[in-house]
Amino acid sequence: MVIYSYTIPNVRWLSKGFVLQRFFAILDEIKLFLSSSDQLCAKDYLDFLEIKEHVISIAFLTDIFKHINDLNFKLQGKGKLVCHLLSEIKCFSRKMDLFCEDIENERLHFPNLNTVFDDAEDNNDIDLNQFINFIKKLKSEFEDRFTDFKKIENVVQILNNCFSLHPNGEWSSEATSVFGSNKAALQMEIIEFQEDLSLKEKFIQVTNNLQYDQFWMKYVCSSKYPELKCLVLKLCTMFGSTYVCEAAFSKMNFIKNNFRSRLTDEHLNELMQISCTNFTPNIRKLVKTKKCA
């Protein structure tokens, strides 16, 4: 399979995942433009797109990167806990097994590849194994990159499945080896925690919107469950992606534009705090408390 690496200038990084989709959607128009172009390189590009194997490869890449881009969006955003991220990664790993089977059959999850495949005059000489091998290598790459998740696969369930955990389950061993928790104290606290009916009721109410961190921060007492609360704090503060940092840098670049030549470090710090917070101030109330000099 031929894959070309190129740089796309002036395109936001979140939009690059859609470039292949846009390219494939206007493939006929691109061929028409290249055929009418006088540039020397236009003929080379046109000859490349006239080869059936190349178009099929582009169609496959368009479909598979669409799935990867969907995963990318699910991993981004504020309030994403490690339990959410681990769930999405495991889900995508299972999807890749389905993709390998789907390519050889109906290609339901590869609409662009299926369209090109059906339009081809002779499908017998199309090697679908190259795409299956690509997905298998992709899955292997995912397993290598997210191998650390396996070390905490059970303990993260304490965030969203705390009332179903067995006190002597694998999660307690992972908490001890990875986070240095006191296993004996953790087991005793989880039993007391699971028998607290008021906490169980609050958990059902608060976590309807998957806001597990709010439940642990607001309703679980640190003095009563010190070991459990310490473990949860470590899990809630784990960064699963660089989205928060990248979003903050984008806001800083917007604030530090060419029209703000008198912006000081102090002002920048204050503006960054305002732009990154979720708090919405009551401007009318603040104005009423102030008096004009």
Side-chain angles (χ1 to χ4, degrees):
M1 176 166 40
V2 181
I3 301 177
Y4 283 86
S5 176
Y6 54 90
T7 302
I8 304 173
N10 300 325
V11 178
R12 292 182 180 271
W13 68 276
L14 281 176
S15 301
K16 290 183 179 179
F18 296 108
V19 171
L20 274 174
Q21 297 180 48
R22 295 164 182 163
F23 177 84
F24 195 80
I26 58 172
L27 187 59
D28 293 335
E29 288 77 5
I30 291 175
K31 290 181 179 180
L32 181 61
F33 169 77
L34 292 174
S35 62
S36 61
S37 177
D38 297 332
Q39 296 186 12
L40 297 177
C41 60
K43 185 179 183 305
D44 296 333
Y45 293 141
L46 182 60
D47 292 341
F48 176 86
L49 294 177
E50 292 295 344
I51 299 176
K52 179 179 63 177
E53 289 77 8
H54 293 170
V55 177
I56 292 176
S57 296
I58 295 173
F60 167 75
L61 290 176
T62 303
D63 291 327
I64 192 64
F65 277 109
K66 168 64 167 58
H67 294 301
I68 296 175
N69 199 58
D70 291 341
L71 172 66
N72 186 31
F73 275 100
K74 292 178 181 179
L75 298 179
Q76 297 170 7
K78 294 182 179 180
K80 295 286 186 178
L81 300 178
V82 64
C83 60
H84 302 138
L85 304 180
L86 180 58
S87 176
E88 294 295 346
I89 294 299
K90 292 177 65 177
C91 179
F92 190 75
S93 179
R94 291 185 59 189
K95 287 180 180 179
M96 284 189 281
D97 292 332
L98 176 64
F99 293 160
C100 291
E101 299 176 3
D102 184 53
I103 285 182
E104 292 184 308
N105 298 306
E106 299 178 88
R107 289 174 291 281
L108 299 175
H109 305 283
F110 297 87
N112 294 306
L113 176 62
N114 192 47
T115 300
V116 177
F117 192 86
D118 291 341
D119 292 342
E121 296 179 359
D122 187 7
N123 297 333
N124 296 326
D125 59 343
I126 298 177
D127 183 18
L128 295 177
N129 289 325
Q130 59 176 330
F131 305 135
I132 297 175
N133 293 332
F134 181 93
I135 296 175
K136 289 181 178 180
K137 290 180 181 178
L138 180 64
K139 182 178 180 180
S140 177
E141 183 71 17
F142 264 72
E143 292 176 350
D144 292 339
R145 288 181 177 270
F146 297 101
T147 184
D148 290 338
F149 271 171
K150 294 181 180 179
K151 300 177 182 178
I152 59 173
E153 186 174 355
N154 295 292
V155 72
V156 296
Q157 295 182 39
I158 199 171
L159 293 173
N160 59 347
N161 197 28
C162 49
F163 288 97
S164 301
L165 294 176
H166 192 278
N168 196 29
E170 187 64 29
W171 70 274
S172 58
S173 300
E174 291 180 358
T176 304
S177 61
V178 178
F179 299 99
S181 300
N182 186 324
K183 186 175 182 178
L186 205 58
Q187 290 175 339
M188 297 298 288
E189 288 181 13
I190 193 65
I191 293 177
E192 297 175 4
F193 174 86
Q194 291 175 345
E195 295 304 321
D196 193 325
L197 297 180
S198 61
L199 282 179
K200 184 177 292 187
E201 183 179 351
K202 288 292 185 183
F203 182 80
I204 296 174
Q205 294 175 358
V206 175
T207 57
N208 285 333
N209 297 324
L210 303 180
Q211 297 175 334
Y212 304 110
D213 52 336
Q214 291 189 13
F215 164 77
W216 287 98
M217 297 305 107
K218 290 183 178 181
Y219 302 109
V220 180
C221 182
S222 299
S223 59
K224 188 175 181 179
Y225 308 104
E227 199 68 29
L228 198 59
K229 187 69 175 285
C230 180
L231 174 61
V232 169
L233 286 174
K234 292 177 181 178
L235 292 172
C236 287
T237 53
M238 291 180 66
F239 286 95
S241 70
T242 58
Y243 168 81
V244 177
C245 297
E246 292 169 350
F249 274 115
S250 297
K251 292 175 181 177
M252 185 181 68
N253 289 332
F254 180 78
I255 294 171
K256 292 185 65 176
N257 56 60
N258 296 331
F259 299 99
R260 283 182 161 172
S261 58
R262 300 180 62 183
L263 186 67
T264 65
D265 291 341
E266 183 180 359
H267 290 154
L268 177 61
N269 182 45
E270 294 170 348
L271 290 171
M272 284 295 295
Q273 291 183 31
I274 294 173
S275 62
C276 293
T277 184
N278 293 327
F279 178 75
T280 303
N282 190 335
I283 303 298
R284 294 183 180 275
K285 185 177 180 180
L286 291 173
V287 171
K288 289 181 180 179
T289 59
K290 300 294 182 181
K291 294 181 179 180
C292 297

